[in-house]
Amino acid sequence: MKILLTGITGYVGKRILPLLLEQGHQVICCVRNLDRVEENWLNHPQIQFVEIDFLKTDSRQDFPKAIDVAYYLIHSMASTSGDFEELELQAARNFRNLVSQSTAKQVIYLGGISNDKYLSKHLRSRLNVEKELQKGDYALTSLHAGIIIGSGSASFEIIRDMVEKLPVMITPRWVLTLSHPISIRDVLKFLIGVMNNEACFNKTFDIGGKDVLTYADMLLQYAEIRKLKRRIITLPIMTPRLSSYWLFFITSTSYKLAINLVNSLKVEVIAKDNSLAELLNIEPMTYREAVEAAFTKIRQNQVYSSWKDALSSTEFDPNYADQIDVPQYGCYWNKQSVVFTADPEKVLSTIWSIGGDNGWYYGTWLWQIRGYMDKLSGGIGLRRGRTNPDEIMNGDALDFWRVLLADKHKKRLLLYAEMKLPGEAWLEFKIVETNNEKRLIQTATYRPKGVWGRFYWGLSWPFHLFIFRGMARNIVKKSQ
């Protein structure tokens, strides 16, 4: 079939794409910016790309008409805009108008479980998006999931952060709220199982795993699996705002996402009984099985997608490709050039492994201090790490940087700073080869904003001088 897929740079979209290709489907991928697409997909014979922003498009947009099924996997919960509800509704409206003009028989939507009388802003928005999609000229199949457990998922990484870091967890009361976790593997089975299945047309199904647990249960079961002794103390006095700050400082989530998560965590998210699992012959995993499956992927370095790589995990401008052309005027630079004799591929591998658990090759403690300072000022700090220890894709999060360009053929890696700064910053690694020598050129570019931006550069210049020099030299030394 011809499948239209949105959200392919997101957590679920990245994982469902290869499964659809394995089944032999032709997939039309809608992306806001082609620069974020992994190189191995760009020339795939079964994939067609459509560059489109559903927040800006209208019914006149050049849009594919020959479609059998469409997946709507767009989400804006961590948007920096105060009104992500309106953004989500606008995107859904534009999507509906365009798909209604196509030959699509079915749209499949992944939303959130919303059976509680009280709905958080996040869950209410998910429900409003569903109502908007129901107005289209096609059959809508809606799947409602609670928290998704899988390597790289926001829920799993938050649980992991809390249990791994805190022997004693002093928690808000929402850890006693009941939830219905589901493995990412089961989510994907359901999403594919309902595709072109007429028994699922114009129907809504809640999907969940085998267990209904409190968040405290999930934390303690995770600790048991990891053979860690952990204790939970709940405090009824923690307000939603305090809870958000607590989640922000303890875990790798952004503050904007923490606020929306806390509001949702207070709501019971339990799936209603339905016959979908029986209809599709799916036996959902238990929570323990889901956690163990996630760690299997982590141990094998096969975390294919992570919530942190989504642009919504930060305050970065979604039109980030505009930053690929590093400015030449009104900037300050720190440029290091190191001649080397090693195999350029080894140097590239060292560069491609930078950040995360591997560190930044020089002055690691200074990088950590900068990360703490950023976090205290409301930034993202170093807590995001990296999804894969030795592979980098365009658009990936890398500590407090965003990968703008990772091109091994051109031997160039370009990062854009997402830390709190009175200006903009880029960090570029490039290997240049001539007949006589091989050279690593490492360039830090900073474009200040106002007087404070210039003061910041002057204040940090002495540190930059030996940090960047040491980093460039150690990259070459480590590759020898």
Side-chain angles (χ1 to χ4, degrees), residues 449-469:
K449 289 183 179 178
V451 175
W452 172 236
R454 286 163 175 79
F455 178 73
Y456 170 84
W457 177 262
L459 193 65
S460 57
W461 179 81
F463 300 98
H464 289 164
L465 186 64
F466 70 86
I467 288 174
F468 288 131
R469 180 187 297 165

Side-chain angles (χ1 to χ4, degrees), residues 257-278:
L257 185 56
I259 294 173
N260 291 318
L261 282 172
V262 165
N263 288 332
S264 296
L265 292 172
K266 296 184 295 183
V267 181
E268 283 198 352
V269 180
I270 304 173
K272 287 182 178 177
D273 290 336
N274 59 65
S275 59
L276 185 61
E278 184 180 347

